[in-house]
Amino acid sequence: MIPWGGQLGAQLETSGAEKLEHLIIDGDTEAGATTNINSIGGTPGGTELYLVFDGFRKSALVTTTANSRSSSGSLVDTDFLAVLKLMGPAGTNAIDKTKVGFILDLNVGWKVLELASVKTRDVFTNATIENGTLTGIWGYPVYVSAQKHKLSTTNPRKANTAGKVDLTTQANNTTGAFLAVRWDQWLLGYKRRMTMKIQDIPDSDASQIVAIARIGLAQRDTEAVAEGYNVGV
């Protein structure tokens, strides 16, 4: 028999980490009609996870719209430089490469591997066509997130041409997006880290696992993140 208690606990831990990643990237507290970046075509029901706090995408797409840029349906390597330059005057917040990184959605993650500038050794020392992994662009680390645009399902993990997810008409979600984030200008604070307990329910001869966490996210200033959207994938 599988030790189901331990197995479910491990699954909850993994699921909790994935949901937290989705929240940090996609979070938007706006509950009005056609205003939330995760449901731009409708109205949130009020219990969605992304309503907990504002995340990276909300800052770039809504709070500071000057920090977002359309790639006009294409992707070239200089798009990444253009987004970095949006982070403060002349890109001052992106100068320190040890404190800034790119977060790509899955579709952009695959698309960027097709760029000629990263495929072969004559133009890129760690050619992705040889090792299959892209670790950096213009000297900045790259991370691919399966949780970005998480709720888009008809066209999985895609957003509309404005970088927002339309859950009402999912066919509008046709493009990808990527973020540039200055890590030290964001604070993820815990009032209570995730804890799990197994509780017995004697009346039904059953058990349940309860997971609880209390967290918040805040940005130091509005230049802490920038996004490139409308990327053809």
Short mmCIF file of all heavy atoms in Angstrom, two decimals, residues 25-64:
data_model
loop_
_atom_site.label_atom_id
_atom_site.label_comp_id
_atom_site.label_asym_id
_atom_site.label_seq_id
_atom_site.Cartn_x
_atom_site.Cartn_y
_atom_site.Cartn_z
N ILE A 25 3.70 35.97 -9.93
CA ILE A 25 3.79 36.47 -11.30
C ILE A 25 2.49 37.10 -11.78
O ILE A 25 2.48 38.19 -12.35
CB ILE A 25 4.19 35.32 -12.25
CG1 ILE A 25 5.61 34.84 -11.93
CG2 ILE A 25 4.10 35.77 -13.71
CD1 ILE A 25 6.02 33.61 -12.71
N ASP A 26 1.36 36.42 -11.55
CA ASP A 26 0.08 36.81 -12.13
C ASP A 26 -0.84 37.59 -11.20
O ASP A 26 -1.90 38.05 -11.63
CB ASP A 26 -0.68 35.57 -12.60
CG ASP A 26 -0.01 34.88 -13.78
OD1 ASP A 26 0.74 35.55 -14.51
OD2 ASP A 26 -0.26 33.68 -13.99
N GLY A 27 -0.49 37.73 -9.93
CA GLY A 27 -1.40 38.32 -8.95
C GLY A 27 -1.97 39.68 -9.35
O GLY A 27 -1.26 40.54 -9.86
N ASP A 28 -3.28 39.85 -9.11
CA ASP A 28 -3.96 41.12 -9.40
C ASP A 28 -5.20 41.19 -8.52
O ASP A 28 -6.09 40.35 -8.63
CB ASP A 28 -4.35 41.20 -10.88
CG ASP A 28 -4.99 42.55 -11.25
OD1 ASP A 28 -5.20 43.38 -10.35
OD2 ASP A 28 -5.27 42.75 -12.44
N THR A 29 -5.27 42.17 -7.64
CA THR A 29 -6.36 42.26 -6.68
C THR A 29 -7.62 42.91 -7.23
O THR A 29 -8.64 42.96 -6.55
CB THR A 29 -5.92 43.07 -5.45
OG1 THR A 29 -5.53 44.40 -5.86
CG2 THR A 29 -4.74 42.40 -4.75
N GLU A 30 -7.58 43.40 -8.46
CA GLU A 30 -8.74 44.08 -9.05
C GLU A 30 -9.89 43.09 -9.26
O GLU A 30 -9.73 42.10 -9.97
CB GLU A 30 -8.36 44.74 -10.37
CG GLU A 30 -9.49 45.47 -11.04
CD GLU A 30 -10.09 46.54 -10.17
OE1 GLU A 30 -9.36 47.45 -9.73
OE2 GLU A 30 -11.31 46.45 -9.90
N ALA A 31 -11.05 43.39 -8.68
CA ALA A 31 -12.19 42.47 -8.76
C ALA A 31 -13.30 42.98 -9.66
O ALA A 31 -14.36 42.34 -9.77
CB ALA A 31 -12.76 42.22 -7.35
N GLY A 32 -13.10 44.11 -10.32
CA GLY A 32 -14.13 44.68 -11.18
C GLY A 32 -14.23 43.99 -12.53
O GLY A 32 -13.39 43.16 -12.90
N ALA A 33 -15.27 44.34 -13.28
CA ALA A 33 -15.49 43.74 -14.60
C ALA A 33 -14.45 44.22 -15.60
O ALA A 33 -14.12 45.40 -15.66
CB ALA A 33 -16.90 44.09 -15.09
N THR A 34 -13.92 43.29 -16.37
CA THR A 34 -12.97 43.53 -17.47
C THR A 34 -11.78 44.39 -17.05
O THR A 34 -11.29 45.21 -17.81
CB THR A 34 -13.66 44.18 -18.69
OG1 THR A 34 -14.14 45.49 -18.33
CG2 THR A 34 -14.83 43.33 -19.17
N THR A 35 -11.29 44.19 -15.83
CA THR A 35 -10.15 44.97 -15.35
C THR A 35 -9.01 44.10 -14.83
O THR A 35 -7.88 44.58 -14.74
CB THR A 35 -10.57 45.94 -14.24
OG1 THR A 35 -11.26 45.20 -13.23
CG2 THR A 35 -11.49 47.03 -14.76
N ASN A 36 -9.28 42.85 -14.49
CA ASN A 36 -8.23 42.00 -13.94
C ASN A 36 -7.42 41.38 -15.07
O ASN A 36 -7.98 40.85 -16.04
CB ASN A 36 -8.84 40.90 -13.07
CG ASN A 36 -7.80 40.20 -12.23
OD1 ASN A 36 -6.96 39.47 -12.74
ND2 ASN A 36 -7.87 40.41 -10.92
N ILE A 37 -6.11 41.43 -14.97
CA ILE A 37 -5.25 40.95 -16.06
C ILE A 37 -5.36 39.45 -16.27
O ILE A 37 -4.90 38.93 -17.29
CB ILE A 37 -3.78 41.33 -15.82
CG1 ILE A 37 -3.24 40.69 -14.54
CG2 ILE A 37 -3.61 42.84 -15.79
CD1 ILE A 37 -1.75 40.88 -14.34
N ASN A 38 -5.97 38.73 -15.34
CA ASN A 38 -6.15 37.29 -15.49
C ASN A 38 -7.54 36.92 -16.00
O ASN A 38 -7.81 35.75 -16.28
CB ASN A 38 -5.93 36.60 -14.13
CG ASN A 38 -4.55 36.85 -13.58
OD1 ASN A 38 -3.57 36.30 -14.06
ND2 ASN A 38 -4.46 37.71 -12.57
N SER A 39 -8.42 37.92 -16.11
CA SER A 39 -9.77 37.69 -16.61
C SER A 39 -10.28 38.97 -17.23
O SER A 39 -11.29 39.53 -16.82
CB SER A 39 -10.70 37.23 -15.48
OG SER A 39 -11.98 36.91 -15.96
N ILE A 40 -9.55 39.44 -18.26
CA ILE A 40 -9.81 40.76 -18.81
C ILE A 40 -11.13 40.82 -19.57
O ILE A 40 -11.66 41.91 -19.83
CB ILE A 40 -8.63 41.20 -19.72
CG1 ILE A 40 -8.64 42.74 -19.92
CG2 ILE A 40 -8.66 40.45 -21.04
CD1 ILE A 40 -8.44 43.51 -18.66
N GLY A 41 -11.70 39.67 -19.91
CA GLY A 41 -12.97 39.67 -20.63
C GLY A 41 -14.18 39.47 -19.75
O GLY A 41 -15.31 39.48 -20.23
N GLY A 42 -13.98 39.30 -18.44
CA GLY A 42 -15.10 39.03 -17.55
C GLY A 42 -14.88 39.61 -16.16
O GLY A 42 -14.16 40.59 -15.99
N THR A 43 -15.48 38.98 -15.17
CA THR A 43 -15.39 39.44 -13.78
C THR A 43 -14.97 38.29 -12.89
O THR A 43 -15.58 37.22 -12.94
CB THR A 43 -16.76 39.98 -13.30
OG1 THR A 43 -17.22 40.97 -14.21
CG2 THR A 43 -16.64 40.57 -11.91
N PRO A 44 -13.94 38.46 -12.07
CA PRO A 44 -13.55 37.39 -11.14
C PRO A 44 -14.69 37.02 -10.20
O PRO A 44 -15.51 37.86 -9.83
CB PRO A 44 -12.38 38.01 -10.37
CG PRO A 44 -11.86 39.09 -11.25
CD PRO A 44 -13.06 39.64 -11.97
N GLY A 45 -14.73 35.75 -9.83
CA GLY A 45 -15.78 35.29 -8.92
C GLY A 45 -15.58 35.74 -7.50
O GLY A 45 -16.52 35.78 -6.71
N GLY A 46 -14.35 36.10 -7.13
CA GLY A 46 -14.07 36.59 -5.80
C GLY A 46 -13.27 35.63 -4.94
O GLY A 46 -12.79 36.01 -3.87
N THR A 47 -13.11 34.39 -5.38
CA THR A 47 -12.36 33.41 -4.59
C THR A 47 -11.07 32.96 -5.28
O THR A 47 -10.39 32.06 -4.78
CB THR A 47 -13.23 32.17 -4.31
OG1 THR A 47 -13.63 31.59 -5.57
CG2 THR A 47 -14.48 32.54 -3.52
N GLU A 48 -10.74 33.58 -6.40
CA GLU A 48 -9.57 33.17 -7.16
C GLU A 48 -8.27 33.46 -6.41
O GLU A 48 -8.14 34.49 -5.74
CB GLU A 48 -9.53 33.88 -8.52
CG GLU A 48 -10.62 33.45 -9.49
CD GLU A 48 -11.93 34.19 -9.29
OE1 GLU A 48 -12.03 34.96 -8.29
OE2 GLU A 48 -12.84 34.02 -10.10
N LEU A 49 -7.31 32.57 -6.56
CA LEU A 49 -6.02 32.73 -5.90
C LEU A 49 -5.32 34.03 -6.31
O LEU A 49 -4.72 34.71 -5.48
CB LEU A 49 -5.12 31.53 -6.22
CG LEU A 49 -3.68 31.60 -5.69
CD1 LEU A 49 -3.67 31.60 -4.16
CD2 LEU A 49 -2.86 30.44 -6.23
N TYR A 50 -5.42 34.40 -7.57
CA TYR A 50 -4.68 35.57 -8.05
C TYR A 50 -5.15 36.88 -7.43
O TYR A 50 -4.50 37.92 -7.59
CB TYR A 50 -4.73 35.66 -9.58
CG TYR A 50 -6.11 35.75 -10.21
CD1 TYR A 50 -6.88 36.90 -10.10
CD2 TYR A 50 -6.64 34.69 -10.92
CE1 TYR A 50 -8.13 37.00 -10.68
CE2 TYR A 50 -7.89 34.75 -11.50
CZ TYR A 50 -8.63 35.92 -11.39
OH TYR A 50 -9.88 36.00 -11.98
N LEU A 51 -6.25 36.86 -6.69
CA LEU A 51 -6.76 38.07 -6.04
C LEU A 51 -6.05 38.40 -4.72
O LEU A 51 -6.31 39.43 -4.12
CB LEU A 51 -8.26 37.95 -5.78
CG LEU A 51 -9.17 37.92 -7.01
CD1 LEU A 51 -10.60 37.59 -6.58
CD2 LEU A 51 -9.12 39.24 -7.76
N VAL A 52 -5.17 37.53 -4.26
CA VAL A 52 -4.54 37.70 -2.94
C VAL A 52 -3.69 38.96 -2.88
O VAL A 52 -3.77 39.75 -1.93
CB VAL A 52 -3.72 36.45 -2.57
CG1 VAL A 52 -2.93 36.70 -1.28
CG2 VAL A 52 -4.63 35.24 -2.41
N PHE A 53 -2.81 39.17 -3.87
CA PHE A 53 -2.02 40.40 -3.92
C PHE A 53 -1.56 40.66 -5.35
O PHE A 53 -1.68 39.81 -6.22
CB PHE A 53 -0.82 40.37 -2.96
CG PHE A 53 0.10 39.17 -3.08
CD1 PHE A 53 0.86 38.96 -4.22
CD2 PHE A 53 0.24 38.28 -2.02
CE1 PHE A 53 1.72 37.87 -4.33
CE2 PHE A 53 1.09 37.20 -2.11
CZ PHE A 53 1.83 37.00 -3.27
N ASP A 54 -1.07 41.88 -5.59
CA ASP A 54 -0.59 42.27 -6.92
C ASP A 54 0.82 41.71 -7.15
O ASP A 54 1.69 41.80 -6.28
CB ASP A 54 -0.55 43.79 -7.05
CG ASP A 54 -1.94 44.40 -7.09
OD1 ASP A 54 -2.88 43.71 -7.51
OD2 ASP A 54 -2.08 45.58 -6.70
N GLY A 55 1.03 41.17 -8.35
CA GLY A 55 2.31 40.55 -8.67
C GLY A 55 3.09 41.30 -9.75
O GLY A 55 2.81 42.47 -10.05
N PHE A 56 4.05 40.60 -10.33
CA PHE A 56 4.96 41.21 -11.30
C PHE A 56 4.23 41.79 -12.51
O PHE A 56 4.45 42.94 -12.90
CB PHE A 56 5.98 40.17 -11.78
CG PHE A 56 6.92 39.66 -10.73
CD1 PHE A 56 7.60 38.46 -10.90
CD2 PHE A 56 7.15 40.38 -9.56
CE1 PHE A 56 8.48 37.98 -9.94
CE2 PHE A 56 8.03 39.92 -8.59
CZ PHE A 56 8.70 38.71 -8.78
N ARG A 57 3.36 40.99 -13.13
CA ARG A 57 2.70 41.44 -14.37
C ARG A 57 1.82 42.65 -14.13
O ARG A 57 1.76 43.56 -14.96
CB ARG A 57 1.88 40.29 -14.98
CG ARG A 57 2.70 39.15 -15.55
CD ARG A 57 1.81 38.01 -16.03
NE ARG A 57 0.83 38.46 -16.98
CZ ARG A 57 -0.49 38.17 -16.91
NH1 ARG A 57 -0.95 37.45 -15.90
NH2 ARG A 57 -1.32 38.60 -17.82
N LYS A 58 1.10 42.66 -13.01
CA LYS A 58 0.21 43.79 -12.71
C LYS A 58 1.00 45.10 -12.66
O LYS A 58 0.55 46.14 -13.17
CB LYS A 58 -0.48 43.53 -11.37
CG LYS A 58 -1.28 44.73 -10.81
CD LYS A 58 -2.53 45.00 -11.61
CE LYS A 58 -3.36 46.13 -10.98
NZ LYS A 58 -4.01 45.72 -9.72
N SER A 59 2.18 45.07 -12.06
CA SER A 59 2.98 46.28 -11.94
C SER A 59 3.34 46.84 -13.30
O SER A 59 3.23 48.04 -13.55
CB SER A 59 4.26 45.98 -11.14
OG SER A 59 5.08 47.13 -11.06
N ALA A 60 3.78 45.96 -14.22
CA ALA A 60 4.24 46.43 -15.53
C ALA A 60 3.09 46.77 -16.47
O ALA A 60 3.19 47.74 -17.25
CB ALA A 60 5.14 45.37 -16.16
N LEU A 61 2.01 46.00 -16.42
CA LEU A 61 0.92 46.18 -17.39
C LEU A 61 -0.09 47.23 -16.96
O LEU A 61 -0.76 47.84 -17.81
CB LEU A 61 0.19 44.85 -17.61
CG LEU A 61 0.97 43.74 -18.30
CD1 LEU A 61 0.17 42.45 -18.30
CD2 LEU A 61 1.34 44.14 -19.73
N VAL A 62 -0.23 47.47 -15.66
CA VAL A 62 -1.29 48.36 -15.16
C VAL A 62 -0.74 49.50 -14.30
O VAL A 62 -0.98 50.67 -14.58
CB VAL A 62 -2.33 47.56 -14.35
CG1 VAL A 62 -3.42 48.49 -13.82
CG2 VAL A 62 -2.94 46.45 -15.19
N THR A 63 0.00 49.16 -13.25
CA THR A 63 0.46 50.18 -12.31
C THR A 63 1.39 51.18 -12.98
O THR A 63 1.26 52.40 -12.79
CB THR A 63 1.17 49.53 -11.11
OG1 THR A 63 0.31 48.55 -10.53
CG2 THR A 63 1.54 50.57 -10.07
N THR A 64 2.35 50.68 -13.75
CA THR A 64 3.30 51.55 -14.46
C THR A 64 3.35 51.10 -15.91
O THR A 64 4.22 50.33 -16.32
CB THR A 64 4.71 51.47 -13.83
OG1 THR A 64 4.61 51.65 -12.42
CG2 THR A 64 5.63 52.54 -14.40
#
